[in-house]
Amino acid sequence: MTRPMTAPGPVGVGWRAAAPPSRSGPRVGRGVELAIASAAQVVLLVVVRPGLAGLAVGVGYALAAWAVLSVAFRRRRALAPADHVTLTRVVLTGGVTALVTAHLLGGGHTWTLVAVASTALVLDGVDGRVARRTGTASRFGARFDMEVDAFLVLVLSVHVAWTAGAWVLTIGAMRYVFGAAARVAPWLRADLRPSLARKAVAVVQGVTLVAAASGVVPYAEALVAAALALLLWSFGRDVAWLSRRAWSFKRGRSTDGAGRPSVLDPVAR
């Protein structure tokens, strides 16, 4: 979920990324891997049956994801082992997006949505472990993981906001507001210190939203409000720390993390 990276980000995570070059060279190229993921997305949409509108949105999501990831991975011949796990989560998030679209139009299958979203959340704890065990951990992989988390939380917040109120969208929008602010204030792109609390708050967002989406948890709105309060605290704490850090570096003149952002380049959150 949304967390920093050296310091993960709001949809938080660890330190993951590119695989070391293989002695024999990769057997499957990056383009083929991304094409397979797009095909898997279409198969998932057929299985979950989100209706025509959901299907259209799901296919659009698959094409957009393919385009964005083709740019993000343009310097790699193939994906790392942990990236395959994260790519699976990209596909599952597309399924959730399609199902939420169906729900907003009065259709969809709530328990199918809960099952797909829960699987994506569980896999969030897998890719980092795979990266560490295979020695392929890096900043790029952490950012890839984080962005998938962020989008999943955004989509889930849209689903819950439909019944609980527009205020729930604050949870999903937080990461993107922070990212937009970082483009204006480069000091917000500096690396954050690792924090277990930040990671825990990130996990809480996804779990709480899925629980609320199920419709069977009592006091769901109160739980979501509590999750939002935790997220505001987490972001507020990190912004305050970055502000103090910037001040200590003569009002942000340090160039740490202040480069021009691009697709899947690291930012603090």
Side-chain angles (χ1 to χ4, degrees):
M1 280 127 282
T2 3
R3 300 294 63 180
M5 291 160 266
T6 336
V11 206
V13 248
W15 178 266
R16 291 205 317 81
S22 170
R23 294 180 181 177
S24 59
R27 297 180 181 178
V28 180
R30 173 202 66 230
V32 174
E33 292 176 303
L34 295 180
I36 291 173
S38 297
Q41 182 73 83
V42 174
V43 172
L44 177 62
L45 293 174
V46 172
V47 171
V48 300
R49 295 182 297 172
L52 289 178
L55 181 61
V57 169
V59 170
Y61 169 95
L63 294 174
W66 190 356
V68 170
L69 294 179
S70 292
V71 174
F73 285 96
R74 65 189 179 280
R75 295 179 182 177
R76 297 193 190 185
R77 293 177 61 190
L79 277 63
D83 292 328
H84 291 128
V85 179
T86 308
L87 193 58
T88 300
R89 294 178 52 239
V90 170
V91 173
L92 293 171
T93 299
V96 174
T97 302
L99 288 166
V100 168
T101 300
H103 172 79
L104 296 180
L105 296 175
H109 310 281
T110 298
W111 285 106
T112 301
L113 186 155
V114 169
V116 175
S118 297
T119 303
L121 290 177
V122 169
L123 288 178
D124 185 29
V126 174
D127 43 15
R129 293 183 182 180
V130 171
R132 290 188 291 273
R133 295 192 66 169
T134 58
T136 58
S138 83
R139 229 171 155 83
F140 181 92
R143 178 61 185 275
F144 182 23
D145 187 27
M146 183 191 75
E147 294 299 348
V148 177
D149 288 341
F151 191 77
L152 177 60
V153 167
L154 174 62
V155 173
L156 289 172
S157 70
V158 170
H159 179 88
V160 177
W162 188 252
T163 53
W167 60 272
V168 180
L169 295 174
T170 305
I171 294 177
M174 192 81 73
R175 159 73 183 89
Y176 298 99
V177 170
F178 185 93
R183 288 180 174 271
V184 178
W187 55 271
L188 288 172
R189 296 200 294 272
D191 289 335
L192 286 166
R193 296 175 297 183
S195 169
L196 289 177
R198 185 188 302 118
K199 292 180 181 180
V201 170
V203 171
V204 166
Q205 307 309 308
V207 172
T208 302
L209 289 171
V210 169
S214 71
V216 298
V217 177
Y219 308 110
E221 290 186 20
L223 291 175
V224 174
L228 174 57
L230 284 173
L231 189 62
L232 290 170
W233 166 80
S234 180
F235 269 93
R237 184 188 66 159
D238 287 341
V239 169
W241 185 86
L242 289 168
S243 177
R244 290 194 299 271
R245 179 185 181 283
W247 182 264
S248 69
F249 278 87
K250 297 182 180 181
R251 299 184 181 181
R253 291 179 184 174
S254 169
T255 58
D256 288 352
R260 182 179 179 181
S262 59
V263 178
L264 289 187
D265 279 345
V267 295
R269 273 182 173 270

